Amino acid sequence: MRAARLIKMVLLLQARPSMTAAELARELEVSERTVARDVLSLSEAGVPVYADRGRAGGYRLIGGYRTRLTGLGRSEAEALFLSGVPSALREMGLADAASAARLKVSAALLPELRDAATGVAQRFHLDAPAWYQEPETPALLPEIADAVWDDRRITARYLRKDTEVERELEPYGLVLKAGVWYLAARTRGDYRVYRVDRFTSVAVTEPDDAPGTEATAERFTRDTTFDLPAFWAERAAQFARSILREEVTLRLSASGVRRLPYVTERTAAREAIARAQSGGGPDEQDRLTVTLAVESADVAYAQLLALGPEGEILAPPELRARFATAAHRTAALYT
């Protein structure tokens, strides 16, 4: 445990010019006193850790010291090779770079760990697209990925419903969700999400070569507080809530309760079931009445038909009438 912590401390100091004792303690989840003892141990082992005194002081490595990857254990090496989605790297035009990086990491590992890449590839495969979909790589994805890597502003044309709009964007990050690529970008001071397959053209904003301007004007200054995973999680939750604008009341059998999360929006289904169970539970016929948030009556009709006789629509009356008609038509087919 302590050896792993010492290695992590060295890697942290390699990645940053300097870190305070408080920062190291927070990253390593130990006390500042433990940090001081660990620094002393590293110095005694020949790692050139230097302490700057004073309020602005901290710890840093001197002399361009770098450690090799021989400190990686088998589980760490295997996790490293598992950390990418091959199809995603290929679509972004990074397959060759990823392959070269894996070879370099393999060469730096201890001999007994060099089979980690092959072992992981034969045990785990990450397939991002959803079932029953044939994913198509957006034609402009590599250009957008390059702009994301280099923090370059882009001028993009984007299909919004039936109209095409032009936007100046600061591309912050790419997200692959169920086989669909999305771009998180800042425009006019606000962060927004765009589907990559709706871009019709993308051009890197060229610098202004007029006298007195900087040659790197096309690059933007990234907001260091921006957290892509947190941003995506928040926007995804907002989107899921925003499309559930209507409600349906239905009575479910025990089987229907189990199946509901698999035929409609899962979070909404589970919340509806939880509310119903805490508000009184099943009736004397062991059927549970739930109020379910849905996108629309048409979407609810298409989804809830899959419950068959395990779910009975109670409201709204128009939707109940549609289900009654469907039930009569289905029954007529089997008469």
Side-chain angles (χ1 to χ4, degrees):
M1 181 69 179
R2 184 165 183 264
R5 189 174 71 240
L6 292 174
I7 292 172
K8 185 176 181 180
M9 178 182 287
V10 174
L11 294 175
L12 285 169
L13 292 173
Q14 280 186 188
R16 307 180 193 180
S18 176
M19 293 185 70
T20 66
E23 290 172 336
L24 284 168
R26 185 167 56 251
E27 290 280 355
L28 300 171
E29 299 180 350
V30 296
S31 66
E32 293 186 31
R33 181 173 295 181
T34 299
V35 168
R37 287 199 296 265
D38 287 350
V39 168
L40 181 60
S41 297
L42 288 173
S43 296
E44 292 174 349
V47 178
V49 183
Y50 178 79
D52 289 318
R53 304 295 180 183
R55 295 181 59 184
Y59 296 103
R60 61 187 176 88
L61 295 173
I62 60 175
Y65 178 84
R66 308 293 294 177
T67 184
R68 290 174 57 83
L69 292 175
T70 49
L72 283 176
R74 173 166 292 278
S75 61
E76 294 168 324
E78 289 172 344
L80 180 63
F81 286 111
L82 183 61
S83 61
V85 181
S87 60
L89 294 171
R90 185 171 56 252
E91 291 177 5
M92 287 191 292
L94 297 175
D96 291 341
S99 177
R102 284 192 292 270
L103 287 173
K104 290 178 181 179
V105 172
S106 296
L109 291 172
L110 292 171
E112 60 268 25
L113 300 182
R114 288 176 186 168
D115 64 339
T118 303
V120 168
Q122 297 307 317
R123 287 171 173 81
F124 301 99
H125 177 68
L126 305 179
D127 187 9
W131 286 105
Y132 313 119
Q133 292 184 5
E134 189 65 33
E136 295 184 3
T137 303
L140 298 173
L141 179 61
E143 288 85 347
I144 293 174
D146 286 343
V148 170
W149 276 116
D150 293 339
D151 294 339
R152 291 181 180 271
R153 290 188 181 90
I154 59 175
T155 301
R157 297 194 66 82
Y158 183 81
L159 287 175
R160 190 173 61 188
K161 296 183 179 180
D162 296 329
T163 60
E164 189 176 69
V165 298
E166 184 173 288
R167 293 286 184 267
E168 294 284 336
L169 302 176
E170 295 177 352
Y172 266 67
L174 285 163
V175 176
L176 179 61
K177 171 71 171 179
V180 180
W181 285 96
Y182 297 88
L183 173 68
R186 184 167 62 181
T187 178
R188 301 172 184 173
D190 188 26
Y191 294 101
R192 300 186 181 183
V193 175
Y194 301 86
R195 277 187 60 145
V196 174
D197 58 5
R198 293 182 183 169
F199 284 103
T200 59
S201 69
V202 172
V204 174
T205 305
E206 296 297 333
D208 186 352
D209 293 331
T213 60
E214 297 183 5
T216 58
E218 77 277 7
R219 285 189 167 86
F220 64 91
T221 301
R222 178 177 286 266
D223 180 359
T224 57
T225 65
F226 179 79
D227 184 334
L228 180 60
F231 169 79
W232 177 257
E234 179 185 356
R235 289 302 173 93
Q238 289 177 357
F239 175 75
R241 290 192 298 267
S242 69
I243 64 173
L244 302 178
R245 301 184 184 92
E246 300 184 23
E247 289 185 342
V248 171
T249 303
L250 64 158
R251 187 183 293 123
L252 300 168
S253 67
S255 176
V257 170
R258 291 193 297 271
R259 291 172 57 185
L260 186 64
Y262 298 97
V263 302
T264 187
E265 207 282 321
R266 187 165 298 182
T267 301
R270 288 174 174 167
E271 290 176 352
I273 292 170
R275 285 195 302 268
Q277 289 174 334
S278 63
D283 58 20
E284 62 278 2
Q285 296 178 325
D286 198 29
R287 298 177 77 85
L288 186 70
T289 300
V290 304
T291 300
L292 176 69
V294 297
E295 184 175 346
S296 67
D298 289 338
V299 171
Y301 177 77
Q303 293 176 338
L304 299 178
L305 272 177
L307 293 175
E310 308 305 326
E312 176 191 0
I313 303 298
L314 302 179
E318 299 83 2
L319 185 60
R320 179 178 174 87
R322 288 181 67 180
F323 271 79
T325 300
H328 287 303
R329 292 174 58 195
T330 302
L333 294 174
Y334 293 93
T335 300

